[in-house]
Amino acid sequence: MKLQRKNLLRATALGALAVSGALVLTACGSDDNSGATGGNGGKTSAASNIKCDDAKGQLPASGSSAQKNAMDLWAKNYMAGCSGVEINYKSSSSGEGIVAFNQGTVGFAGSDSALKPEEVADSKKICKGGQGINLPMVGGPIAIGFHLEGVDSLTLDAPTLAKIFDGKIKKWNDEAIAKLNTGAKLPDKPIQAFHRSEDSGTTQNLGKYLGAAAPSDWKYEAEKKWPAPGGQAASGSSGVAAQVKQVDGSIGYFELSYATSQSISTVDIDTGGSAPVKATSENASKAIAAAKIKGTGKDLALDLDYTTKAEGAYPIVLVTYEIVCDKGNKPETLSTVKSFLNYTAGDEGQKLLTEAGYAPIPAEINSKVRETVASLS
């Protein structure tokens, strides 16, 4: 049964990219799926140990496409354990998720960047008596995917990546790339760099890495909107991944799960350590484990070290936050928000992340997330 369930989860993750727009999965309420029902005074699903509490009805949410594959798995499992509940997560972008949250149209939002001060100020209009806070829920590497016929392995460093995405390095056989890939047969072929077309936390996190690790070569502020001239744009991580998959000579950035599900080759990063580092969940976890909480009160925003040279630590990482009100959450969705996020931050929910190509949040930080979820009002 365990093997069967694991295969089902993997199949779900691999198929997730074929689904676009909103995720609307409705629990069938079968006795075979669940030992509990939502809105039943706190019964727990015998099949999965999901505590449904008083969860019921629809829970609209939107934002980060980085966590889409994780959210697909979480929603499917949660609704199988809590019948009568519908988790409707619209995968769009971090920027759109925060806008929706501050307009009061969703129960929570997903964002790959913590709320800015002005966004916190806006949230106070929705969070009556409180404000929006950041709960780190999903970690993982931002993979640099490439498609270059005849080349299966590629190493780049921060300065070279910065020049590629800024249009300063235009050919794959450029001397800077050749120096990092001794012995590789690099073609005299134009580089086609793809970036996100909409405001994106993934873009911002890549910008933070390039700005920190290659300050002489990446002069742009780390913003959600792609800052550099040139290149080609695509919508969402899925759109960028699809272009890289199709176009020979291309390079782009997206979460590892998109590379894994589409068998896209990824760049190893030369951090200046003893050996280049591969984009894996385990290596991303090594970098995220060094993160410090910079938020105050119930806000758990993290400070990531993008310049790490720690052995085996993959430096291009992001953390996706679930944005909620610390106080003043909507009464009609509060119980479901708490129940669902308690599941995603729980041992079972976090375990699924590795299977889907993500990295679990370090235990010390995650324990604070669970405490905060329990205190939401």
Side-chain angles (χ1 to χ4, degrees):
M1 235 3 235
K2 267 188 175 176
L3 181 59
Q4 194 175 34
R5 181 168 181 267
K6 186 173 181 180
N7 288 337
L8 176 61
L9 291 175
R10 288 187 183 279
T12 303
L14 291 174
L17 291 175
V19 182
S20 63
L23 168 70
V24 184
L25 298 172
T26 305
C28 63
S30 166
D31 291 337
D32 292 334
N33 290 336
S34 172
T37 59
N40 61 358
K43 285 188 181 179
T44 300
S45 164
S48 59
N49 297 318
I50 296 174
K51 191 175 182 184
C52 303
D53 290 319
D54 291 317
K56 59 185 176 182
Q58 294 189 6
L59 174 57
S62 69
S64 165
S65 65
Q67 68 172 355
K68 175 183 167 14
N69 294 343
M71 196 60 70
D72 284 355
L73 289 173
W74 281 336
K76 179 181 177 68
N77 281 12
Y78 179 82
M79 291 188 293
C82 299
S83 65
V85 181
E86 184 180 289
I87 307 297
N88 182 345
Y89 183 79
K90 181 183 178 183
S91 172
S92 51
S93 69
S94 298
E96 291 175 74
I98 291 172
V99 168
F101 179 76
N102 281 341
Q103 289 177 342
T105 60
V106 294
F108 71 89
S111 175
D112 307 323
S113 296
L115 292 169
K116 295 179 179 179
E118 59 269 28
E119 292 168 339
V120 173
D122 285 345
S123 74
K124 293 179 180 180
K125 301 169 188 175
I126 299 300
C127 305
K128 303 301 183 185
Q131 64 182 42
I133 57 172
N134 305 282
L135 301 180
M137 197 67 69
V138 181
I142 300 175
I144 306 298
F146 71 96
H147 179 176
L148 193 57
E149 296 295 339
V151 178
D152 298 322
S153 177
L154 188 68
T155 295
L156 297 173
D157 58 14
T160 307
L161 265 178
K163 291 171 187 173
I164 288 173
F165 280 116
D166 198 19
K168 300 291 177 26
I169 292 179
K170 300 180 183 297
K171 292 287 190 74
W172 278 110
N173 62 348
D174 188 275
E175 183 180 356
I177 300 176
K179 281 183 178 179
L180 293 165
N181 296 275
T182 306
K185 294 182 178 179
L186 298 169
D188 182 15
K189 186 177 295 183
I191 295 173
Q192 300 194 57
F194 287 89
H195 58 264
R196 292 280 290 273
S197 59
E198 73 287 356
D199 285 3
S200 160
T202 310
T203 294
Q204 188 171 38
N205 279 278
L206 175 65
K208 288 178 181 178
Y209 163 73
L210 294 174
S216 297
D217 298 294
W218 191 258
K219 300 293 188 180
Y220 306 102
E221 291 294 322
E223 298 291 348
K224 293 186 177 74
K225 185 176 180 63
W226 181 255
Q232 301 178 62
S235 178
S237 291
S238 59
V240 175
Q243 291 298 320
V244 173
K245 176 75 173 178
Q246 294 170 10
V247 179
D248 184 24
S250 62
I251 189 169
Y253 59 94
F254 32 80
E255 294 66 43
L256 180 62
S257 61
Y258 291 90
T260 302
S261 64
Q262 297 193 57
S263 300
I264 297 172
S265 298
T266 61
V267 171
D268 297 341
I269 300 299
D270 184 343
T271 64
S274 62
V277 185
K278 293 186 177 300
T280 68
S281 296
E282 181 183 1
N283 291 344
S285 291
K286 292 176 183 177
I288 296 171
K292 306 295 182 186
I293 295 175
K294 64 179 180 181
T296 58
K298 293 183 179 180
D299 185 81
L300 300 178
L302 301 179
D303 187 13
L304 299 169
D305 181 8
Y306 296 98
T307 62
T308 180
K309 292 180 175 58
E311 197 66 27
Y314 183 82
I316 318 177
V317 294
L318 61 72
V319 168
T320 300
Y321 300 95
E322 311 311 337
I323 309 296
V324 295
C325 299
D326 56 358
K327 298 177 183 178
N329 289 280
K330 293 180 178 180
E332 61 269 27
T333 56
L334 175 60
S335 293
T336 308
V337 166
K338 293 177 70 171
S339 173
F340 180 63
L341 295 185
N342 183 63
Y343 162 65
T344 63
D347 292 339
E348 184 177 340
Q350 289 291 297
K351 182 181 178 183
L352 288 181
L353 292 178
T354 301
E355 297 180 22
Y358 296 94
I361 298 299
E364 183 179 349
I365 297 170
N366 195 45
S367 66
K368 292 182 172 63
V369 172
R370 284 186 271 194
E371 289 175 12
T372 303
V373 168
S375 72
L376 298 179
S377 62

